[in-house]
Amino acid sequence: MLTKKTGDKMLKSIFSGWSFLKWLGNGIIMILTVALLSFFVNPIFAVGYVIMLLIHETGHIVAARAYDAIVRFGGFTPFGAYIEIINKTSIKENAIIAISGPLCGLLATILYLFLFYFLKDYTFLWLSFFGAVVSLLNLLPLNPFDGGKVIAGTFKTFPLLFIPFLAYGIYYSMDQMILLVLFTVMILYIIYDFVSTRRRNRFKDLVQYKKSTRASIFLVYLLVFVLLGALIFTMVMEYREALLPQIDFSSHISQFQQWLNSILP
């Protein structure tokens, strides 16, 4: 159990409790991420990607600190970054902390889009588009995504509304095995996530704060979702050909093989 003294000490740094091995492991992941993105795209994209992750996690951290939560930076993974909340927070606080990350992700997406318009560097367009897609996926109303945590604190039955549309997709994709499997898995996961939430008996927590507050958080969630979708649609319509970097993977792979041959006995 964390005492108040321990909590105050941990609040001083989001890196409290990090061991040398954790610093080393995160450093390696960071270097490899930047190196690979620099190799396959360019260094500006690599650094911009890391900055985008940090902006997203900063949103979570600032919101968590606003509720005096004991928060620690969990570290980087090959697919992103995460934070850890040490003490218990309410279901409302969890929802607000969860939506704060994608909200900052939306701001980062808009920032990169402005940089593209001013600098005319397509790297920032790619960053904006990539950031918008990742943030939109992160808003899926299912666990373990941020969207799932928002829905858990606002409108738990919302994911069930997607089942009829997915069932309709199954009906019209009988001859396309990939889509058929995808829609079926999505329906099963929605049901599983809903049932597991009920088993945790979290539904009763919703009555602990006003419906108007839940509605406000949910509307912010929908607004961020719609804005990200609109940005993606606009970029696709205006810059369809430029969005995907013209990467010659075969050339890069050949260069990588030559490098390996040069260092291996």
Side-chain angles (χ1 to χ4, degrees):
M1 180 180 293
L2 291 170
T3 64
K4 185 179 187 300
K5 183 177 180 181
T6 305
D8 290 342
K9 182 179 179 182
M10 292 188 69
L11 280 170
K12 292 180 181 178
S13 173
I14 59 173
F15 299 104
S16 295
W18 275 41
S19 65
F20 171 76
L21 288 178
K22 188 158 187 175
W23 279 105
L24 179 62
N26 277 273
I28 292 173
I29 291 174
M30 177 65 66
I31 291 171
L32 287 176
T33 299
V34 172
L36 287 173
L37 289 177
S38 297
F39 184 73
F40 285 107
V41 188
N42 61 53
I44 295 177
F45 184 92
V47 175
Y49 170 75
V50 174
I51 292 174
M52 183 170 58
L53 292 181
L54 294 176
I55 290 174
H56 177 101
E57 298 307 324
T58 298
H60 289 313
I61 292 170
V62 170
R65 288 286 180 85
Y67 289 109
D68 293 326
I70 302 172
V71 62
R72 179 170 60 194
F73 184 65
F76 292 98
T77 72
F79 308 102
Y82 66 100
I83 65 167
E84 298 171 332
I85 298 177
I86 308 302
N87 58 331
K88 186 177 181 180
T89 51
S90 71
I91 191 169
K92 180 187 79 170
E93 292 167 354
N94 281 337
I96 294 175
I97 293 169
I99 193 58
S100 298
L103 182 59
C104 286
L106 171 63
L107 296 177
T109 296
I110 295 172
L111 171 63
Y112 284 136
L113 195 57
F114 273 122
L115 288 174
F116 164 67
Y117 281 128
F118 284 113
L119 301 178
K120 306 302 179 183
D121 187 337
Y122 278 95
T123 299
F124 294 107
L125 176 66
W126 302 336
L127 279 167
S128 181
F129 181 76
F130 182 75
V133 170
V134 171
S135 294
L136 192 66
L137 290 175
N138 197 29
L139 283 175
L140 288 175
L142 298 168
N143 288 301
F145 302 108
D146 285 337
K149 297 180 179 62
V150 175
I151 295 303
T154 55
F155 187 9
K156 290 180 183 292
T157 56
F158 178 68
L160 298 180
L161 300 178
F162 291 91
I163 291 180
F165 297 99
L166 293 171
Y168 182 82
I170 289 176
Y171 177 76
Y172 277 97
S173 60
M174 290 296 183
D175 57 340
Q176 301 181 48
M177 184 57 65
I178 294 178
L179 289 178
L180 183 63
V181 172
L182 177 62
F183 290 146
T184 303
V185 169
M186 290 177 68
I187 289 176
L188 292 175
Y189 188 78
I190 288 173
I191 295 172
Y192 164 78
D193 193 50
F194 180 77
V195 172
S196 63
T197 302
R198 288 187 66 91
R199 286 179 177 173
R200 291 194 297 270
N201 202 25
R202 297 286 282 173
F203 279 84
K204 66 178 183 180
D205 295 336
L206 290 180
V207 300
Q208 295 177 359
Y209 66 107
K210 296 180 181 179
K211 289 183 179 180
S212 58
T213 305
R214 298 204 301 269
S216 298
I217 299 171
F218 183 72
L219 286 175
V220 171
Y221 165 82
L222 286 181
L223 179 62
V224 174
F225 197 98
V226 169
L227 287 175
L228 286 169
L231 283 171
I232 292 171
F233 179 80
T234 301
M235 285 187 276
V236 168
M237 289 296 100
E238 292 192 17
Y239 303 102
R240 186 188 303 270
E241 300 298 326
L243 276 175
L244 291 179
Q246 301 300 309
I247 301 173
D248 184 358
F249 282 101
S250 60
S251 174
H252 283 298
I253 292 172
S254 176
Q255 293 175 16
F256 184 68
Q257 289 175 338
Q258 291 177 6
W259 176 76
L260 281 179
N261 292 332
S262 68
I263 63 173
L264 293 176

